[in-house]
């Protein structure tokens, strides 16, 4: 499923192509690219759920905006997001790339990937996808792009 999300993100993010194509047309394109139809439906559902996270009445935990808080991870979250991923999430929150709301959206979408563990690169791309889908986060999106595409010169955190 993650490969499909990356395919869509890479092919539609900076494209002049119409992002709002009909689902059947998009499914046909993905099948033509060699993806499994069940995984395609999971990926499209993942994207739909990402869009739904914008509705705070459905996800009231996203309304809480503490000035500073320690995020305690559940057992499942800790199993999926290793220490490196949790440390990176803390880092990007401390430098203002994500706030508590977008952090929770990222964690939600990471768990929805249905992977037993997540690598740091996957986390970075999911952060970028979340920021792309949240209005007003253009500057944070650009910062995250820099973190992904620029080679680090030292320790990030």
């Amino acid at each position: 499923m993650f490969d499909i999300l990356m395919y869509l993100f890479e092919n539609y993010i900076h494209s002049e192509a119409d992002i709002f194509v009909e689902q059947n047309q998009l499914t046909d394109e993905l099948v033509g690219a060699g993806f499994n139809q069940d995984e395609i439906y999971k990926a499209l559902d993942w994207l739909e759920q990402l869009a739904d996270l914008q509705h705070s009445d459905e996800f009231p935990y996203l309304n809480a905006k503490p000035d500073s808080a320690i995020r305690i991870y559940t057992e499942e979250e800790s199993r999926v997001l290793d220490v490196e991923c949790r440390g990176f999430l803390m880092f990007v929150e401390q430098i203002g790339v994500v706030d508590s709301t977008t952090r929770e959206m990222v964690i939600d979408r990471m768990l929805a990937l249905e992977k037993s563990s997540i690598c740091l690169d996957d986390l970075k791309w999911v952060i970028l996808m979340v920021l792309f889908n949240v209005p007003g986060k253009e500057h944070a999106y650009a910062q995250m792009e820099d973190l992904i595409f620029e080679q680090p010169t030292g320790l990030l955190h």
Side-chain angles (χ1 to χ4, degrees):
M1 175 174 49
F2 190 74
D3 291 336
I4 296 167
L5 293 170
M6 290 301 300
Y7 176 90
L8 291 172
F9 192 68
E10 289 173 354
N11 286 294
Y12 287 96
I13 188 70
H14 297 295
S15 171
E16 295 298 319
D18 187 7
I19 294 174
F20 302 103
V21 296
E22 183 180 311
Q23 184 171 343
N24 290 337
Q25 181 183 357
L26 186 58
T27 302
D28 291 343
E29 176 186 337
L30 292 169
V31 167
F35 294 111
N36 176 295
Q37 198 156 18
D38 289 337
E39 292 297 309
I40 292 169
Y41 292 133
K42 285 182 185 179
L44 295 176
D45 186 52
W46 189 95
L47 289 169
E48 187 175 317
Q49 290 176 13
L50 173 58
D52 288 345
L53 286 175
Q54 304 293 321
H55 308 293
S56 60
D57 54 332
E58 294 177 37
F59 303 93
Y61 66 89
L62 294 176
N63 285 333
K65 297 193 187 255
D67 291 334
S68 64
I70 295 174
R71 174 60 158 85
I72 306 297
Y73 290 86
T74 66
E75 186 176 322
E76 179 186 10
E77 292 167 344
S78 294
R79 181 182 47 77
V80 173
L81 299 168
D82 66 12
V83 171
E84 186 177 34
C85 289
R86 294 190 310 265
F88 187 78
L89 264 176
M90 183 187 309
F91 167 71
V92 293
E93 187 173 6
Q94 289 173 342
I95 64 170
V97 172
V98 299
D99 55 25
S100 60
T101 301
T102 50
R103 177 197 64 215
E104 293 305 313
M105 293 172 76
V106 167
I107 293 169
D108 180 86
R109 295 295 76 214
M110 294 301 294
L111 295 175
L113 287 176
E114 301 175 354
K115 293 175 101 179
S116 59
S117 64
I118 304 293
C119 73
L120 183 58
D121 286 336
D122 292 351
L123 172 66
K124 290 176 181 180
W125 284 104
V126 169
I127 293 170
L128 201 62
M129 288 179 207
V130 167
L131 293 173
F132 177 76
N133 283 284
V134 176
K137 296 293 183 185
E138 293 79 14
H139 180 69
Y141 177 86
Q143 285 180 288
M144 191 63 212
E145 268 189 325
D146 289 344
L147 290 173
I148 289 176
F149 295 118
E150 289 183 3
Q151 294 298 325
T153 56
L155 292 176
L156 290 178
H157 49 84

